[in-house]
Amino acid sequence: MADFLSAYSIQNWLESCPQGYLLHTEYGHQPSEHEPGMVIENDILREEAIRGTVQLVVGERCALAASSGLINAAPDEGSKRFLATQTLDEARHVEIFTQRLLDLGVKKQELESVISRHANPNLVKFAEALLEKVDKKDFIAGVVGQNIVLEGMAFSVFEMMYALNQDLNPKFAHTLSGTIADERRHVGFGENRIGSLIQQHPEKKPEIERMQKEMSYYMLATFADAFRNNAAHDEFEKIEAQRGAHNRHAQYQGVDLANMVPEEMEQVLADTVLKEFKVRLGRIGIDYQTPVRP
């Protein structure tokens, strides 16, 4: 427990996060960086950027509610303090992705209506499945749902988005790089803390496995909606052809996303996340449940 307390202490968080990779950043990126003109000036690309960013805001609002709600349900002081730092991380994520919506031209007075209009219904159900456990103060199920399922999904999604934006949109890529570092820490806490609690409470396993299967289905349905109804891909390909830019690469999980159609990207992302779920759940003694594919 001593090593656990040290690795996930507030002091460690201060040194690695606000005094580390976020030092001198503004909303997660360099103050001089801006959204590229190609995104701002093209209605199709801008609308897709707004729609995609709304999903990040919805997911991070769920993460904020979950991490803050689990603090008083935690069985030990070390977990409470870590969840306090995670709550601030999640609040920061909500803020930086909300700021991106404003940077993309969404007016402050229209922010909530834009989020409501674009929020994917399957992602909303994904959040509801997790927050049901949090509302019941179910610490074990809540942390599995939050720090392994939700954060594991976010980690892989952010890594794919980072690969796609690293050359095209350095501002957004830098914003994502900090969230990736945060998610890595959150997932690590979930794996390191919950395994021993599962051993103490094996009766929780069936309930947690049902939750994982349900959340995984809604996740896959969200991915399907995002990739199969993506008007921006063809628009971007047309712009790239007009500019004569044919040598772009976006490496992710050993493949080049720049040479893939959206359906292929969806398959790569879904397979990556589910594989990671299986590994991480196995480490804590939970049997991975294969979800239905939408």
Side-chain angles (χ1 to χ4, degrees), residues 8-281:
Y8 298 106
S9 67
I10 291 175
Q11 183 61 38
N12 188 64
W13 173 80
L14 285 170
E15 293 173 2
S16 64
C17 185
Q19 296 171 5
Y21 51 82
L22 294 180
L23 195 63
H24 305 310
T25 62
E26 178 181 279
Y27 296 107
H29 58 83
Q30 296 300 314
S32 60
E33 293 175 323
H34 304 281
E35 292 291 325
M38 179 177 66
V39 173
I40 297 296
E41 296 161 11
N42 184 293
D43 289 342
I44 294 176
L45 296 183
R46 176 178 168 274
E47 186 68 11
E48 181 58 29
I50 289 172
R51 185 175 74 90
T53 306
V54 163
Q55 311 318 315
L56 303 185
V57 172
V58 171
E60 296 299 341
R61 284 183 173 183
C62 171
L64 174 58
S67 55
S68 60
L70 286 168
I71 292 175
N72 285 335
D76 58 90
E77 288 299 315
S79 295
K80 290 178 188 291
R81 290 197 295 272
F82 173 80
L83 287 167
T85 67
Q86 183 173 347
T87 297
L88 189 51
D89 287 337
E90 309 299 2
R92 185 181 77 83
H93 298 171
V94 172
E95 182 174 88
I96 60 178
F97 293 133
T98 300
Q99 182 61 44
R100 189 185 189 221
L101 291 176
L102 301 178
D103 293 345
L104 289 167
V106 175
K107 296 181 174 63
K108 285 186 178 181
Q109 63 270 27
E110 298 174 356
L111 187 63
E112 292 305 320
S113 63
V114 168
I115 292 173
S116 178
R117 183 168 72 252
H118 287 289
N120 188 293
N122 288 300
L123 184 58
V124 172
K125 291 177 181 177
F126 175 96
E128 289 172 348
L130 167 58
L131 295 179
E132 177 187 358
K133 304 299 183 185
V134 176
D135 289 344
K136 293 178 179 178
K137 303 298 182 184
D138 187 335
F139 182 75
I140 299 176
V143 171
V144 173
Q146 160 81 340
N147 289 66
I148 294 181
V149 180
L150 172 56
E151 302 290 345
M153 174 188 73
F155 180 81
S156 295
V157 168
F158 291 154
E159 282 199 323
M160 174 178 271
M161 296 179 78
Y162 177 82
L164 289 167
N165 284 278
Q166 191 171 10
D167 295 328
L168 297 172
N169 191 340
K171 176 225 179 203
F172 188 39
H174 287 155
T175 300
L176 290 166
S177 67
T179 63
I180 290 169
D182 292 342
E183 307 299 8
R184 184 179 290 111
R185 187 171 61 253
H186 301 166
V187 170
F189 169 82
E191 289 187 19
N192 288 316
R193 184 65 191 99
I194 292 301
S196 61
L197 292 177
I198 293 291
Q199 291 179 350
Q200 296 171 32
H201 299 279
E203 74 280 0
K204 297 288 295 179
K205 289 178 63 175
E207 174 192 357
I208 291 172
E209 288 163 1
R210 286 193 297 271
M211 176 194 69
Q212 173 259 306
K213 186 175 183 179
E214 179 184 15
M215 292 180 71
S216 297
Y217 170 79
Y218 289 132
M219 176 194 74
L220 293 177
T222 301
F223 290 169
D225 290 342
F227 285 97
R228 297 175 198 176
N229 301 296
N230 193 326
H233 181 265
D234 291 342
E235 182 70 10
F236 177 74
E237 291 292 307
K238 182 173 70 176
I239 293 172
E240 288 284 277
Q242 292 171 348
R243 295 167 59 186
H246 299 292
N247 297 317
R248 187 175 68 87
H249 297 283
Q251 296 297 321
Y252 174 78
Q253 295 295 317
V255 300
D256 188 356
L257 299 174
N259 294 317
M260 288 186 164
V261 297
E263 290 80 3
E264 292 172 323
M265 295 185 200
E266 176 197 348
Q267 188 68 44
V268 170
L269 180 59
D271 289 347
T272 298
V273 177
L274 294 180
K275 179 182 177 181
E276 289 297 316
F277 281 177
K278 188 172 185 177
V279 170
R280 288 174 177 141
L281 289 166

